[in-house]
Amino acid sequence: MRWPLMLPVFLWLAACAPDPTGAPTAADASPLQAAFSEAATRYQVPVGVLESIAWVETRVAMQASASGGWGVMQLARRDGWDTLGRAAALTGFDVGRLQVDARANVLGAAAVLRDDFDRLADRTLDAREPGDWYRVVALYPGYGSVT
């Protein structure tokens, strides 16, 4: 899988993300940029973490994959791994909307990531620091473990 090799790239991209205070205003942002900003704010996930996952998973394109992922964030439902169902439960969006609506897809992924951070991260980690999301991001695609 390309995820283990891409993890250092992801962390570098997340660390280089622009400061949230310098983010485009709602009038200047594309709908997808606005979705990343909204999700980052609502679920307290660094915007660079969300954008980096979208880049690694789909090159920031709304698509389905042969491996069972949906949307820009590749919310998945396959063999014991159900980020799509979890996103639906955490956000209240139905599964169909999460599969086709980019905003809902990004919000759903942010909700899953935050839930995983709260359950799995060491309490000494700071959710505002992109590098502290390493374990959660490594587990996100559902292909293994980082224990």
Side-chain angles (χ1 to χ4, degrees), residues 3 50 53-54 57 70 72-76 78 81 83 86 105-106 108-110 112-113 116 134-144:
W3 259 95
L50 297 171
I53 289 172
E57 287 288 344
W70 292 90
V72 69
M73 302 298 286
Q74 289 296 285
L75 292 171
R78 65 177 177 276
W81 193 252
T83 53
R86 287 180 57 212
N105 191 266
V106 171
V112 168
L113 287 162
D116 286 347
Y134 179 88
R135 182 167 191 240
V136 172
V137 170
L139 292 171
Y140 179 79
Y143 295 125

Side-chain angles (χ1 to χ4, degrees), residues 119-136:
R119 287 183 312 106
L120 302 172
D122 181 315
R123 296 296 163 214
T124 64
L125 299 178
D126 184 349
R128 296 169 294 184
E129 294 297 325
D132 286 355
W133 287 81
Y134 179 88
R135 182 167 191 240
V136 172

Side-chain angles (χ1 to χ4, degrees), residues 32 35 62 71-73 97-107:
L32 194 52
M62 236 359 235
V72 69
M73 302 298 286
R97 182 169 179 192
L98 288 163
Q99 292 173 321
V100 299
D101 181 306
R103 177 181 167 270
N105 191 266
V106 171
L107 287 166

Side-chain angles (χ1 to χ4, degrees), residues 1-6 143:
M1 288 288 124
R2 69 176 181 228
W3 259 95
L5 299 174
M6 293 300 295
Y143 295 125

Side-chain angles (χ1 to χ4, degrees), residues 24-48:
T25 64
D28 296 334
S30 73
L32 194 52
Q33 287 172 321
F36 283 122
S37 293
E38 178 184 356
T41 300
R42 181 178 296 183
Y43 294 104
Q44 298 300 295
V45 178
V47 73

